[in-house]
Amino acid sequence: MDKIPVLTSNPLWSPEEVASYGSFVDPVSSMSFVNTLLSDRADMAKTILLHRQITPNILPEDEGLLVDSSCALSNSEGAVLLYNEFHQDCRDVIARINLPTLIIVGRGSPTPVSSQIWMNSIINDSQLVVFEVEEGGKHFTFIENPKKFNRIVESFIH
């Protein structure tokens, strides 16, 4: 769910490839963000990143839980995690998925919907569901709209 096949773009890719794979940072920008997590601006960067992934309608207690969880991760651990995420290329793994697969994405998520459409076209027997922003459709659809999210998952597994 909400997984980008390749976060960091290759300068040799066409705009169509960048859109299909969901890449939204270039190699220099990815390292710049990782290094920011190792600087005195780390808390500000974490806050900005988190708020790009939630809607203004999120319940305050849910937002607090996400902020607390985000801050519990040390800056160095976060930098390593983000470095690894920026440099992972899952296209070959996605192409080998041979089980029924539910792909859920929020239209307002940093994860481009185009990348999830690409995944849906690559994975046989997959189903794509897009949450609109007003439905809690950013990165945390399962927190912002648990009733709809759970209904979709329950329907998929039965």
Side-chain angles (χ1 to χ4, degrees):
M1 113 145 210
D2 214 64
K3 173 66 177 152
I4 298 174
V6 188
L7 270 169
T8 303
S9 64
N10 180 328
L12 301 177
W13 290 345
S14 70
E16 293 78 21
E17 288 172 306
V18 171
S20 290
Y21 308 146
S23 306
F24 62 81
V25 295
D26 59 53
V28 173
S29 299
S30 68
M31 287 311 303
S32 176
F33 196 81
V34 167
N35 290 333
T36 299
L37 288 180
L38 297 171
S39 75
D40 58 354
R41 299 183 324 258
D43 289 339
M44 178 190 66
K46 284 182 187 178
T47 301
I48 290 169
L49 181 62
L50 177 64
H51 283 96
R52 290 182 67 198
Q53 299 179 65
I54 58 176
T55 70
N57 301 327
I58 191 168
L59 296 174
E61 58 269 22
D62 290 338
E63 181 179 359
L65 175 68
L66 290 171
V67 169
D68 290 348
S69 297
S70 175
C71 291
L73 190 64
S74 75
N75 293 343
S76 60
E77 292 168 326
V80 168
L81 182 69
L82 198 56
Y83 177 88
N84 290 334
E85 188 68 19
F86 276 143
H87 293 87
Q88 232 173 27
D89 183 345
C90 299
R91 290 174 296 163
D92 64 324
V93 175
I94 291 165
R96 292 193 314 262
I97 296 173
N98 60 5
L99 296 171
T101 303
L102 177 59
I103 302 165
I104 300 175
V105 65
R107 189 156 319 271
S109 174
T111 300
V113 173
S114 59
S115 68
Q116 306 307 282
I117 292 170
W118 177 81
M119 285 177 39
N120 189 51
S121 74
I122 297 298
I123 303 170
N124 291 325
D125 201 16
S126 64
Q127 177 184 342
L128 174 63
V129 177
V130 180
F131 278 59
E132 298 303 326
V133 174
E134 55 274 3
E135 298 178 293
K138 282 218 167 187
H139 187 65
F140 297 102
T141 56
F142 58 97
I143 292 175
E144 294 204 50
N145 194 340
K147 287 181 182 175
K148 180 178 178 181
F149 182 89
N150 291 338
R151 188 174 61 249
I152 291 166
V153 171
E154 189 172 309
S155 174
F156 181 79
I157 60 176
H158 287 52

